[in-house]
Amino acid sequence: MTISHFFYSFLPFCLLLSPLALQAEESRFATVEPDMRIYANAPAALAPELGNSPSRVIIFALPNGNTLEQTLGCQLADGLDWHYDIQHVLAQTRLLRTLAPEEPLTLVCAEAKGLSWPSWRGSRADGNARIAALADEWRREFGGDDARVTLTGHSGGGSFIFGVIEGNDEIPAWIDRIAILDANYSFDAAKHGAKLVRWLQGDDARRLIVLAYDDRNIEFQGKKVVGPDGGTFRATQRMVEAFKPAFAIEERKTGPFTEYSGLDGRVRFYVHPNPENKILHTALVGDMNGLIHAQTLGTAAEGTWGTFGGPRAYTKFVEAKPIVDESRTPKPTAAASNTTAAPLPVREIKTIPPRPSDALGGKAFMAKLADLPGEKREAAILTELAAGNVPTFLRQFKQVPISAGGTKGTIEVAPDYLAVGSDDDFVRLPMTPQTAQSLADKFQCVLPTRKMVDAIDAVGEVRLAPQPLTENRESVAAFILSNDKIESQRKGQSLGPLTIGGKKDIVVSPKIYERPDRLVIYGWRQLNGQPIQPLTNVHVDWYVDYSHGVRLVRDEITIDGKQYKIAELLRDPDRCAIVSDEGVVDPSRYPTKP
């Protein structure tokens, strides 16, 4: 299909950034296929003398777990997710335009459904062919037949890059720069090596740039992030070895990086040694100016704009607020506390054990968790909540309408996210999906689907603005701070009304089993009705941060006066639609230990 009608109907808008950065642009979001979105941004008009200048298109494939809006970036502010402040691809593109004004530059960012190019590509037999065709289509539509293309991407976006390589018999001549930004996990010398060598040798204007860091020993919550053969450090070493026979690759120190380069600079690898053993994955792209560096190497602008490694060189080009895809933004919902005309009906849930008389308060229990490693912390949470140390208000479930077609039903849901302690002293508890599932089982409940979350949010009685944190997000201290911020915002409201906006939901979804050991999260709805977190399984199932919440749903739905088990409906192709917008969810749960 062609998408020219999307681009040429873009509405221009002026970006009043600074006297030096005043530019007019044309930009718009578009749905290219049912399972793909793009954002294109181009100069609004060309001066007459540049009308015939060859143009350039940067095709940037998104990293796993990030939306287009987050990847484009904006200034971080209260209520914004930290993902908006890590890549700043649009701001870096704007700076690039000032460095080579004679070369009209268009940015095309591509987002796959599920926020994972590896999953999208692996789910389609024609994945490589379709990716290759789209890259060519975007080149012609947004730059013209003579346009040159920089093919780039970050993290899982590398799968898009390798899809283009595998989807063509030879790498197209219109691609003259490939920049792999900590994204070369799937490099295979047999599949990609010879083809890349032939492409580089075909024209001395072509460039291959790879950015990576030593990720062999990085840890998260006491566990190594990459396996014994994984990570971009090892992948980069494989690439260097693959290119040595054809190119005279030399090793040298370039700032904080180890650089491997050859063939007159046409092949350049940069590896940060990472002596402090930090996770530098996104820092390479945003904080260290990775996209600018990769695009200017071998040009007159190389080294003129700032420093690869930081500080950020593009700050004045950053958007003040998130760029909004109007086609996906619901009409704003009321931002007031109570938004329903009458309170939702309530039903007491008696499957949660009574709270022991000697149970700890929320803050005291959190103090016990502070120094525990992940597995022991989860075990303590499971034991404490299973014993009944749950506030009284969380036992009064709210009745929420839900429907599909002409069928209407009612589900019963906890008024807030699962917490430990008493009504006077409680803390909402992030936890792994295994712990959440075990507690749901014990309490004769289920975890919600995306559709259930949307139904809950639609009738929320107390609506809170999300309050993201940017530091130490996986710590118990962050769990407590997040809870304090929610309570500060909720001040003046009674306990018990159906409250939304405090957390992202751990949900059940077919995506749990789409990849090994996955956590699926969704939601954290803003006051304008837009969820911060699209449905994603980007995280492994042992990952926990302050923003994750567990909303219990009683394992029973009422339809036409009859009761049905939600878990059973989720596995039924003929009846699942009332509780799932993803079709059958089978198994309809997270795996737990026996």
Side-chain angles (χ1 to χ4, degrees), residues 381-408:
I381 291 172
L382 178 57
T383 299
E384 191 74 13
L385 295 184
N389 192 2
V390 175
T392 300
F393 79 93
L394 287 176
R395 302 163 192 265
Q396 306 293 319
F397 278 28
K398 291 286 188 170
Q399 296 181 20
V400 169
I402 194 168
S403 63
T407 303
K408 297 181 180 180

Side-chain angles (χ1 to χ4, degrees), residues 162 165 171 178 180 184 187-189 192-201 207-210 235-250 260-263 266-269:
F162 290 117
I165 294 171
I171 299 173
I178 297 176
I180 306 176
N184 58 344
F187 172 77
D188 185 310
H192 313 128
K195 195 177 286 189
L196 282 165
V197 168
R198 290 193 297 272
W199 170 74
L200 283 164
Q201 291 175 333
R207 296 287 185 275
L208 172 66
I209 300 101
V210 176
T236 302
Q237 299 307 310
R238 294 198 302 271
M239 293 187 79
V240 170
E241 291 301 314
F243 282 87
K244 276 184 177 179
F247 309 132
I249 292 181
E250 299 178 347
Y260 306 88
S261 60
L263 196 62
R266 280 184 254 172
V267 183
R268 298 174 81 164
F269 302 89

Side-chain angles (χ1 to χ4, degrees), residues 550-567:
V550 178
R551 175 92 66 176
L552 293 176
V553 179
R554 183 167 173 257
D555 188 13
E556 191 171 275
I557 181 172
T558 302
I559 303 173
D560 296 330
K562 296 181 180 180
Q563 280 73 46
Y564 303 88
K565 292 293 185 183
I566 293 174

Side-chain angles (χ1 to χ4, degrees), residues 284-306:
L284 284 169
V285 181
D287 291 340
M288 298 186 187
N289 307 303
L291 180 61
I292 302 168
H293 178 68
Q295 182 56 45
T296 56
L297 283 173
T299 74
E302 179 177 346
T304 64
W305 49 266

Side-chain angles (χ1 to χ4, degrees), residues 291-346:
L291 180 61
I292 302 168
H293 178 68
Q295 182 56 45
T296 56
L297 283 173
T299 74
E302 179 177 346
T304 64
W305 49 266
T307 305
F308 178 43
R312 294 178 176 184
Y314 51 82
T315 302
K316 69 181 180 182
F317 297 96
V318 174
E319 283 284 309
K321 297 180 180 180
I323 295 174
V324 176
D325 182 352
E326 298 290 349
S327 68
R328 290 165 56 96
T329 303
K331 293 180 179 180
T333 58
S337 297
N338 294 317
T339 61
T340 54
L344 294 169
V346 175

Side-chain angles (χ1 to χ4, degrees), residues 362-557:
K363 293 293 175 65
F365 179 71
M366 298 305 285
K368 287 183 61 177
L369 297 183
D371 297 323
L372 293 180
E375 290 184 2
K376 290 186 177 181
R377 184 176 74 193
E378 292 299 316
I381 291 172
L382 178 57
T383 299
E384 191 74 13
L385 295 184
N389 192 2
V390 175
T392 300
F393 79 93
L394 287 176
R395 302 163 192 265
Q396 306 293 319
F397 278 28
K398 291 286 188 170
Q399 296 181 20
V400 169
I402 194 168
S403 63
T407 303
K408 297 181 180 180
T410 302
I411 58 176
E412 297 173 352
V413 308
D416 207 327
Y417 294 103
L418 194 53
V420 63
S422 67
D423 283 5
D424 296 323
D425 177 10
F426 67 89
V427 177
R428 296 168 183 85
L429 268 178
M431 63 191 74
T432 66
Q434 295 91 343
T435 302
Q437 186 68 63
S438 295
L439 289 166
D441 292 345
K442 180 173 179 60
F443 300 154
Q444 298 178 29
C445 291
V446 296
L447 299 175
T449 61
R450 174 172 62 182
K451 180 168 183 173
M452 287 189 242
V453 172
D454 287 342
I456 292 165
D457 287 359
V459 294
E461 296 171 301
V462 174
R463 301 179 184 272
L464 306 177
Q467 300 180 85
L469 304 177
T470 58
E471 296 181 359
N472 301 317
R473 295 181 297 273
E474 304 84 26
S475 67
V476 172
F479 299 174
I480 297 171
L481 176 59
S482 175
N483 192 78
D484 289 345
K485 291 170 76 71
I486 293 171
E487 285 303 285
S488 177
Q489 189 179 175
R490 200 187 59 79
K491 187 175 181 180
Q493 299 298 316
S494 61
L495 293 172
L498 185 61
T499 302
I500 67 169
K503 300 280 184 184
K504 302 173 186 176
D505 282 86
I506 297 176
V507 296
V508 292
S509 162
K511 290 183 175 296
I512 296 171
Y513 297 93
E514 191 176 82
R515 301 161 64 194
D517 306 321
R518 292 292 107 180
L519 160 67
V520 185
I521 51 177
Y522 171 72
W524 216 10
R525 203 169 298 274
Q526 302 170 89
L527 294 178
N528 67 1
Q530 184 77 10
I532 285 179
Q533 179 62 68
L535 188 74
T536 181
N537 66 351
V538 67
H539 293 304
V540 291
D541 60 7
W542 47 263
Y543 177 77
V544 183
D545 75 32
Y546 75 96
S547 68
H548 298 178
V550 178
R551 175 92 66 176
L552 293 176
V553 179
R554 183 167 173 257
D555 188 13
E556 191 171 275
I557 181 172

Side-chain angles (χ1 to χ4, degrees), residues 50-102:
L50 297 180
N52 295 319
S53 298
S55 61
R56 175 170 299 281
V57 178
I58 294 179
I59 297 176
F60 186 95
L62 265 61
N64 291 345
N66 283 53
T67 65
L68 287 172
E69 294 83 352
Q70 292 167 344
T71 299
L72 297 171
C74 69
Q75 295 174 13
L76 197 60
D78 289 344
L80 275 185
D81 188 277
W82 60 278
H83 288 87
Y84 285 94
D85 190 39
I86 56 175
Q87 295 167 85
H88 292 293
V89 169
L90 181 56
Q92 293 193 63
T93 299
R94 289 169 174 162
L95 175 56
L96 286 168
R97 286 189 184 128
T98 69
L99 300 175
E102 75 285 353

